[in-house]
Amino acid sequence: MSQREGSLEDFQADSSISPLPLLEAKIHQTHSLARLLTKYAEQLFQEYVQLQGDPFGRPGFSPPRPPVAGLSAPGAGHAGLPLPERLRLDAGALAALPPLLDAVRRLQAELNPRTALLRRLEEAARRARALGAALEAVLAALGAEPREPRPEPAAAAAAAAAAAAAAAGAFPAKLLGLRVCGLYRDWVSRTEADLGQLVPGGPA
Amino acid sequence: MAPVAVFQAAFLLAWLPLSTYQSQAVLSEPLSLSVHVNLTEQSLKIEWSVHNLTHPELQMAFQIEISRINKSNVIWVENYTTTAQQNQTLRRMWKSELPLECATHFVRIRGKDEDPRMLQRRVWSSWSSWVKAEAQSLLGPEPLLVFPKEKQVEEGSDVTLCYVSRHPQSHVVCKLNGILVPGEQLDPHVSVVTLRSISFVSKTGSNFFCEEDRNHTQPGLAIFVTKVLEEPKGFSCETRDLKTLNCTWDPGSNIDSWKFPCQRYTLFESFSGGKKSCKDKHWCSWQVDSQETYNFTLQAENCFRKRNVTLLFQLAHRVHPMTPFKVALKSVSATNAILTWTVHPLRNNFTLLCQVELHSEGRVVQHNVSTWGNGQYSFRGLAPATEYTARVRCAAAQHFWKWSKWANQEEFSTPQAAPSTAPDVWRSVRPTLGSCNVTLFWKPLSRAQAHGKIQFYTVATERLHTPSSSQLFPIPAPANGTELSLDGCSHRIRVTASNGAGTSPASVMVIAGDLGDPWNPGNQTAEVKEERAQGTGDGVSMSWKPPPGDVLGYVVEWCDGPRESPCDLRWESLGPNATSTVIKSDAFRPGVKYNFRIYGISPERMAYLLERKTGYSQELAPADNPRVTVNNLTSHSFTLSWEDYAADAQPGFIRGYRVHLRSQAEQCLPGFTKALLPDNTACCKHDIDNPEQKTFLVKNLQPESFYEFLVTPHTRAGEGPAQAFTNVITTRDQHPRVLIRILLPMVFPLLFLTILCYVKSQWIKETCFPDIPDPYKSSVLSLLKPKESPHPSIMSVRDCVPDALEVVNKAARRSLAEVECPKHDYLHLLPTGSSAGPGPGICFENLTYNQAAPGAGPCGPSPGQGGLLAAPGGLLRSPSYVNSPGGPPAEEAPLNYVSQVAPPTSGHEDSPPTPLLELAPRSEYRTQMAVPPGLASPSPEEKSHLCAVSLPDAGGHGR
């Protein structure tokens, strides 16, 4: 970690010291991206449930949420974790989401071909990658321990999950997509909240 | 019998073992049976083989039984016949309605030979052992499972689903698209859900899922519902190039599921036996060869059913040519042009019908051209200096099917040409001292006449009698007139219009101010009376009498504004045969009067006023009513007058007036009729049809009465406004006063004279003709007094020799019959001598007395009366005329006057009756007095004297 980029602990400990403009801009930019993706993720989730038919669009419909291979939902204790750990978890989830979103897109290509949902799923995967990369950059700038890159296992797990869902039938495939879109929305939102703590003037 | 029985028993014993041997020889070997579960297709694959066949191939029949849950619950029996070979594995598929995961199935089979070559009895073999087909062992560890994993069905069909719960006590609810559907328990762990007549919801499938209260799992499946396949509509085939047929159709509302798309369209051709799978669900192409007739069948197919439509046609009848190309124009002149185009090649000698369309200024002209190669068309009669647009399309000429699309339209313009028509020119001539001011007007030529842009006009003038004195005045366009000051008013004027290509024919007119009317010499403009023209709503219609001579035409001239505004001169030129026209102008306004002058153009091109017209394009109802004054008001009439009403200033020709009158009388006056006003109040009206009449006498009115009147004018468009009525009260009647003044002075003198005459007549009567003459009272005697003694005129009875007394019975109040026979009763006075017969004497006839006593009878002498007279004492016995007590009651006897013979004034009333002669000296007439009937009734004997007793006349004494 270079002194030029500073450390997250130093940044939090002495907030009166002005961060370097580049880092601040990167954090601010990443946070803005996360905030934008939060809105898009919510739109994607709503569009997804509307296209799957009843009961997916019903408020009371809450199927069990089994863990998706390679990705779990933000835990209840996520907020209590140290910020660097939270950001690392966010980055890990954002890295696992694109292959899952791609798998969902392939499943939906059979169930809802020629719909805008496929394009939105593709865009969501790309944006998750972009946000994950930006977050990795912020983490690197802050001197945090880099997350070990595991793209291959994530992709394989996602492919396996999609294959299993497809084999189980259309209804499990819809459930998988619902779960993935929900995870995407949750993790992007979580990332926005975590990055917000780095933004000057944001929540402590 | 015993030998026969023994023979039969021996035969049976020999035959039975043989037959048993033959039957058991074919089916002695059991069938080897195996069953495989295919969960994807929810089917059982049943396989078996037959061993020890007597022949290499043998026709055999098999019977397969399938049981569910337990072996005794047989749910399916199938008979299957096939040719079996030695050790061959035979297969059958059985699809289960119930998902195989939800129940164990058992299968067994038996067979028999059906080969006609076998002579032995055909009996079933024994059943094979039950073979179990179980899929539940393949299920995962989930506590609740729903089967099948997914399903594709046709809309309206029934679907059987099931779920398996690991916990028999748990409560499971299932929903389809959020709606609860009940299940039927198959065993403690398995329940069946049957969805009846399922509907299509979306292409992404209907979601069916179940929830278990114990662990909140929500397994489910998606049911993909496909719409029932419809028959294709509008199946049609055509060719653009005679090489490829393109068939199209409307698939209808066929909706395939996205997950399991299985709709297919296939084209079959019966003559060639060809077949083609169509890649699109709306159209399909077919390669054409030498075949001329085609019989196509289009088969629509999905996972559940097929639909067919057919089409038989001749190829040449289905030619839809391609769009012509290379459209071009050549040899474009002012009036002609040639359009050329190219068509895509078809077969040799295939004739096309091409349609050429020419657009210009909103008009379209079409022409048809037959061609078998590249085409062309010559446009003739085009307008110079005009923009055109041409386009072309083609179709099969011999068997029309469809037009091709229009080829790209070509735009072109024709060049200019000289104007074809002389300008329409008119003039206004104003003679001045020694010269003539002429204002020329002309109308711009239309596009069809101008043949290009008019650049200038040329005005040439020349004196009529000196043609060499010509002057030219070029006037640049777009002027529409000019003003000239000419030397004198006898000129010939020529006007031409010129464009870039040439000059128009000249419009010629002659101005000759001092010339008279060639048709009516001596006729002056002022003498032409103005007549009315009829409005048509948007114009003014007028007609005129043609002049006796030849005319080149007519011109109608007017000012396009109201009379009082400056004249915006307009004119309309008409041909020589016109005798009427309708003048229209956008400037015409309703209710405005316009003046028109109709000129005839003589062969010398001089214009002469023929008629003057005035009229409205549209008449309106009068805007106001006349101010009416009341004159000559009397008790019975008054005069209405509206002399100052300006009828000419109204927005229409006044056709008359209407006098409205209201009064308290219910009946209308003579000459008036009842009418309703716009406010539905009743009144009486009188129409005056003469618009010149502006006074009206209202007569036959009641004195001192209240009247209301209103005078409204009316035009063709309607009546004047319904304004307030004016009140009038007639004066008092003058006749009674006059009568009083005249009659009173006349009546009183007349009355006085009448009374005077009456009194005088009474006096005369009393004097001269008393009812009862009284000599003592007679004034006649007074005339004689100077000559006579105090009583010389009175004849003394004593002095008379009584002869006879005639009693006159006047039949007053008698009937005519009674009156007709008056008879005088005579009292024959006894002669003093021996003479007993009638002799001369004095006879008093008292005509004033009347015998009115009922029953008195005629007054002729009766025997009784005669008796009375014969008994002289009879009359003398009742000198006092007092009724006897035995007389009739008073009410039965009328009031009678008794003729009195005055008794002697000596007072000898009580003396016995004396002879009449003795009484005579004292005899006198007394005043008659009324005697009550009872008192005056004479005795029956006295009734004989009733001829001398009479009822008084109405005017008699005693009153």
Side-chain angles (χ1 to χ4, degrees):
Chain A
M1 182 184 299
S2 72
Q3 288 297 317
R4 177 187 172 94
E5 292 178 336
S7 68
L8 187 61
E9 287 79 6
D10 293 341
F11 175 75
Q12 287 187 317
D14 188 3
S15 60
S16 63
I17 301 172
S18 298
L20 292 173
L22 184 60
L23 176 60
E24 185 180 348
K26 188 178 290 290
I27 291 172
H28 194 275
Q29 185 180 22
T30 306
H31 179 254
S32 298
L33 178 61
R35 189 168 55 199
L36 185 65
L37 293 197
T38 301
K39 188 176 71 174
Y40 287 161
E42 180 62 32
Q43 291 176 355
L44 173 67
F45 184 82
Q46 294 301 329
E47 188 170 349
Y48 182 86
V49 296
Q50 286 174 8
L51 279 177
Q52 307 312 309
D54 204 77
F56 285 88
R58 294 198 174 194
F61 182 65
S62 58
R65 299 177 178 181
V68 177
L71 183 61
S72 59
H78 183 87
L81 294 174
L83 184 57
E85 183 59 23
R86 280 186 276 155
L87 291 174
R88 274 197 284 278
L89 287 174
D90 294 340
L94 290 172
L97 275 167
L100 287 169
L101 289 167
D102 287 339
V104 172
R105 181 177 55 81
R106 286 192 293 274
L107 292 172
Q108 288 295 312
E110 286 189 344
L111 296 171
N112 291 294
R114 300 190 292 276
T115 59
L117 177 65
L118 303 181
R119 183 171 52 83
R120 291 191 185 277
L121 285 167
E122 187 178 6
E123 291 172 352
R126 193 167 60 244
R127 286 166 180 161
R129 284 192 194 95
L131 180 61
L135 186 58
E136 292 281 2
V138 169
L139 283 172
L142 292 175
E145 288 290 331
R147 184 184 58 85
E148 290 186 4
R150 296 188 307 167
E152 293 301 325
F171 191 75
K174 292 180 180 180
L175 287 178
L176 174 65
L178 180 71
R179 178 74 177 133
V180 170
C181 290
L183 286 172
Y184 173 62
R185 180 187 60 181
D186 294 344
W187 277 112
V188 170
S189 175
R190 188 69 262 168
T191 303
E192 180 199 356
D194 292 339
L195 281 172
Q197 296 187 4
L198 290 178
V199 176
Chain B
M1 292 296 289
V4 176
V6 170
F7 175 75
Q8 287 178 341
F11 176 77
L12 286 173
L13 288 173
W15 183 80
L16 282 173
L18 180 61
S19 63
T20 304
Y21 169 76
Q22 286 179 342
S23 173
Q24 290 174 349
V26 176
L27 299 172
S28 59
E29 288 295 326
L31 304 172
S32 56
L33 175 66
S34 64
V35 179
H36 306 278
V37 178
N38 186 341
L39 294 178
T40 304
E41 298 191 1
Q42 290 292 324
S43 64
L44 295 178
K45 187 168 73 173
I46 304 164
E47 294 181 341
W48 71 96
S49 60
V50 184
H51 309 292
N52 300 329
L53 294 179
T54 57
H55 295 80
E57 288 186 348
L58 199 64
Q59 187 78 17
M60 293 193 69
F62 300 94
Q63 193 170 55
I64 303 168
E65 276 189 357
I66 299 174
S67 299
R68 180 175 287 165
I69 301 174
N70 55 62
K71 296 170 183 172
S72 60
N73 181 26
V74 176
I75 60 169
W76 183 260
V77 175
E78 181 183 3
N79 291 317
Y80 172 60
T81 300
T82 187
T83 300
Q85 296 177 353
Q86 187 70 25
N87 296 325
Q88 179 193 7
T89 299
L90 301 171
R91 297 180 180 85
R92 292 294 291 166
M93 292 285 290
W94 176 77
K95 293 197 76 168
S96 175
E97 287 290 322
L98 180 71
L100 293 174
E101 295 92 338
C102 294
T104 302
H105 291 76
F106 301 91
V107 181
R108 70 177 182 175
I109 190 171
R110 66 180 179 177
K112 65 178 179 181
D113 71 79
E114 290 280 337
D115 200 307
R117 293 171 296 178
M118 301 300 290
L119 299 176
Q120 67 270 28
R121 289 179 57 198
R122 293 163 182 170
V123 296
W124 288 108
S125 69
S126 58
W127 285 105
S128 69
S129 301
W130 287 103
V131 176
K132 187 177 182 181
E134 188 178 28
Q136 289 179 320
S137 60
L138 305 174
L139 304 182
E142 289 83 0
L144 180 64
L145 295 164
V146 177
F147 297 104
K149 291 180 180 176
E150 56 196 11
K151 186 87 175 173
Q152 184 188 17
V153 295
E154 189 180 46
E155 187 180 34
S157 59
D158 299 339
V159 181
T160 303
L161 310 172
C162 66
Y163 59 86
V164 180
S165 173
R166 302 295 183 195
H167 307 284
Q169 292 79 21
S170 61
H171 178 64
V172 178
V173 292
C174 297
K175 296 178 180 177
L176 176 67
N177 294 325
I179 300 172
L180 192 67
V181 288
E184 181 183 355
Q185 195 165 27
L186 202 60
D187 69 19
H189 295 278
V190 178
S191 292
V192 177
V193 175
T194 302
L195 308 175
R196 304 286 181 192
S197 187
I198 194 164
S199 302
F200 173 85
V201 175
S202 74
K203 288 183 174 183
T204 191
S206 299
N207 298 313
F208 175 86
F209 69 98
C210 298
E211 292 176 299
E212 189 175 29
D213 57 353
R214 183 181 293 268
N215 48 34
H216 301 290
T217 58
Q218 290 182 314
L221 62 98
I223 304 171
F224 296 95
V225 182
T226 302
K227 286 274 190 181
V228 177
L229 185 67
E230 290 183 16
E231 186 176 87
K233 301 177 185 67
F235 178 43
S236 175
C237 297
E238 65 183 24
T239 179
R240 310 296 302 267
D241 53 5
L242 293 175
K243 295 176 182 174
T244 304
L245 270 169
N246 186 29
C247 297
T248 57
W249 61 89
D250 176 11
S253 61
N254 292 335
I255 298 175
D256 219 354
S257 72
W258 278 336
K259 183 72 183 291
F260 301 103
C262 59
Q263 276 187 11
R264 290 188 299 273
Y265 290 88
T266 309
L267 208 55
F268 298 92
E269 205 287 309
S270 63
F271 295 122
S272 63
K275 171 189 173 184
K276 183 170 185 183
S277 294
C278 304
K279 294 179 181 177
D280 193 276
K281 61 188 295 187
H282 295 87
W283 65 275
C284 203
S285 63
W286 186 273
Q287 288 301 313
V288 171
D289 49 19
S290 59
Q291 191 176 339
E292 288 294 329
T293 305
Y294 291 84
N295 186 12
F296 279 113
T297 298
L298 174 66
Q299 183 180 78
E301 180 183 8
N302 68 2
C303 303
F304 305 99
R305 63 182 72 211
K306 295 178 181 177
R307 299 275 194 182
N308 293 329
V309 290
T310 60
L311 180 66
L312 175 65
F313 62 89
Q314 295 284 331
L315 179 67
H317 297 184
R318 292 288 191 275
V319 178
H320 182 191
M322 298 180 75
T323 307
F325 60 103
K326 289 186 179 175
V327 181
L329 281 150
K330 61 182 183 181
S331 304
V332 178
S333 67
T335 56
N336 298 325
I338 298 175
L339 180 73
T340 61
W341 64 90
T342 304
V343 294
H344 292 272
L346 293 169
R347 290 176 184 168
N348 291 336
N349 300 326
F350 193 92
T351 307
L352 290 177
L353 174 68
C354 294
Q355 191 174 62
V356 178
E357 207 172 73
L358 189 66
H359 294 250
S360 174
E361 298 172 351
R363 291 180 300 174
V364 180
V365 181
Q366 289 183 337
H367 307 278
N368 290 334
V369 187
S370 290
T371 179
W372 51 85
N374 297 336
Q376 75 170 35
Y377 182 79
S378 295
F379 296 114
R380 302 185 185 282
L382 301 178
T386 304
E387 293 182 351
Y388 288 95
T389 301
R391 60 179 186 172
V392 62
R393 63 179 178 178
C394 297
Q398 197 169 2
H399 302 285
F400 180 85
W401 172 243
K402 286 180 183 175
W403 288 110
S404 69
K405 287 185 178 178
W406 289 103
N408 291 334
Q409 59 186 17
E410 288 292 316
E411 297 179 356
F412 66 99
S413 298
T414 52
Q416 292 187 96
S420 61
T421 310
D424 187 0
V425 183
W426 189 235
R427 86 290 180 272
S428 171
V429 180
R430 187 155 41 87
T432 58
L433 188 62
S435 64
C436 199
N437 289 333
V438 177
T439 305
L440 294 175
F441 306 93
W442 56 80
K443 295 175 183 175
L445 295 174
S446 66
R447 286 177 60 90
Q449 296 168 334
H451 294 177
K453 185 178 180 182
I454 298 298
Q455 296 176 342
F456 59 91
Y457 297 89
T458 303
V459 178
T461 63
E462 61 180 15
R463 294 178 68 93
L464 282 181
H465 307 297
T466 54
S468 59
S469 61
S470 177
Q471 282 185 300
L472 289 178
F473 301 94
I475 299 159
N480 59 357
T482 186
E483 190 167 354
L484 304 174
S485 179
L486 302 177
D487 183 14
C489 282
S490 297
H491 280 79
R492 177 178 288 107
I493 302 174
R494 300 170 185 269
V495 180
T496 58
S498 301
N499 62 10
T503 302
S504 71
S507 178
V508 182
M509 66 175 60
V510 173
I511 299 171
D514 54 347
L515 293 179
D517 186 340
W519 303 293
N520 297 301
N523 190 12
Q524 299 299 320
T525 300
E527 294 177 0
V528 178
K529 287 187 177 179
E530 187 177 77
E531 297 176 352
R532 286 185 180 180
Q534 188 70 38
T536 61
D538 59 345
V540 181
S541 173
M542 61 193 72
S543 60
W544 57 90
K545 292 180 181 176
D550 292 337
V551 289
L552 296 179
Y554 299 93
V555 171
V556 180
E557 172 194 279
W558 74 94
C559 294
D560 229 359
R563 279 183 162 184
E564 58 274 12
S565 62
C567 180
D568 183 11
L569 188 67
R570 292 285 184 271
W571 75 98
E572 185 169 305
S573 300
L574 302 164
N577 296 323
T579 57
S580 64
T581 187
V582 177
I583 302 297
K584 295 183 179 180
S585 171
D586 294 336
F588 285 167
R589 298 287 176 264
V592 176
K593 187 185 285 184
Y594 298 95
N595 297 321
F596 301 88
R597 291 166 172 253
I598 302 168
Y599 294 88
I601 309 299
S602 71
E604 294 78 23
R605 299 188 180 277
M606 286 185 286
Y608 297 97
L609 181 65
L610 295 179
E611 294 187 20
R612 295 165 62 212
K613 303 283 183 180
T614 182
Y616 303 82
S617 63
Q618 182 181 354
E619 292 188 50
L620 300 179
D624 53 354
N625 296 329
R627 294 177 59 187
V628 182
T629 58
V630 179
N631 302 323
N632 304 329
L633 177 63
T634 68
S635 58
H636 292 281
S637 66
F638 57 83
T639 302
L640 302 177
S641 175
W642 56 94
E643 297 287 350
D644 58 344
Y645 183 64
D648 287 343
Q650 299 305 315
F653 292 119
I654 299 298
R655 302 164 69 89
Y657 300 92
R658 176 167 293 173
V659 179
H660 303 266
L661 190 69
R662 281 199 301 224
S663 67
Q664 294 179 345
E666 291 186 356
Q667 297 295 326
C668 291
L669 296 175
F672 282 79
T673 57
K674 288 202 171 183
L676 273 180
L677 293 171
D679 59 354
N680 284 333
T681 56
C683 73
C684 299
K685 66 169 185 180
H686 174 81
D687 286 332
I688 301 171
D689 295 331
N690 180 11
E692 304 301 326
Q693 178 183 340
K694 295 185 178 180
T695 59
F696 181 71
L697 173 63
V698 184
K699 54 189 178 181
N700 299 318
L701 306 179
Q702 295 295 322
E704 292 184 280
S705 296
F706 179 80
Y707 292 91
E708 292 177 296
F709 71 86
L710 172 67
V711 177
T712 57
H714 59 90
T715 65
R716 178 185 297 272
E719 201 173 339
Q723 294 174 336
F725 279 59
T726 305
N727 303 331
V728 175
I729 299 176
T730 52
T731 59
R732 288 186 176 183
D733 198 353
Q734 301 297 319
H735 295 304
R737 295 181 181 177
V738 173
L739 287 175
I740 289 171
R741 290 176 183 171
I742 296 173
L743 293 181
L744 275 180
M746 295 175 65
V747 165
F748 282 111
L750 282 176
L751 188 62
F752 177 75
L753 286 174
T754 303
I755 295 171
L756 189 64
C757 290
Y758 177 75
V759 172
K760 189 66 178 176
S761 66
Q762 288 298 315
W763 177 80
I764 292 172
K765 182 182 179 183
E766 288 292 331
T767 305
C768 300
F769 310 103
D771 291 336
I772 301 174
D774 187 354
Y776 297 102
K777 294 180 179 178
S778 177
S779 57
V780 175
L781 299 179
S782 62
L783 300 174
L784 305 176
K785 278 183 179 178
K787 300 176 181 178
E788 301 290 337
S789 59
H791 301 289
S793 61
I794 299 172
M795 183 180 68
S796 176
V797 177
R798 293 188 197 104
D799 299 334
C800 295
V801 178
D803 187 5
L805 178 64
E806 184 181 7
V807 178
V808 178
N809 185 9
K810 189 176 182 181
R813 296 197 181 183
R814 284 281 185 122
S815 65
L816 186 59
E818 293 168 336
V819 174
E820 283 177 346
C821 54
K823 291 185 176 178
H824 295 175
D825 294 336
Y826 296 92
L827 296 177
H828 297 276
L829 300 179
L830 297 175
T832 56
S834 58
S835 178
I842 299 171
C843 178
F844 290 97
E845 182 178 8
N846 189 355
L847 297 176
T848 61
Y849 287 162
N850 190 8
Q851 183 180 357
C859 296
S862 64
Q865 288 172 336
L868 177 62
L869 293 175
L875 180 62
L876 300 175
R877 281 199 296 267
S878 55
S880 60
Y881 296 97
V882 177
N883 275 342
S884 64
E891 61 273 16
E892 295 179 0
L895 183 64
N896 294 325
Y897 287 89
V898 177
S899 180
Q900 299 170 355
V901 178
T905 56
S906 59
H908 302 281
E909 294 87 355
D910 297 332
S911 64
T914 60
L916 185 59
L917 293 175
E918 294 177 2
L919 294 174
R922 294 187 296 267
S923 173
E924 64 183 20
Y925 288 95
R926 291 184 179 179
T927 305
Q928 295 170 348
M929 68 179 177
V931 180
L935 298 176
S937 295
S939 62
E941 294 79 12
E942 293 172 342
K943 286 182 179 177
S944 61
H945 299 275
L946 286 178
C947 282
V949 177
S950 67
L951 285 174
D953 281 331
H957 296 281
R959 288 251 175 137

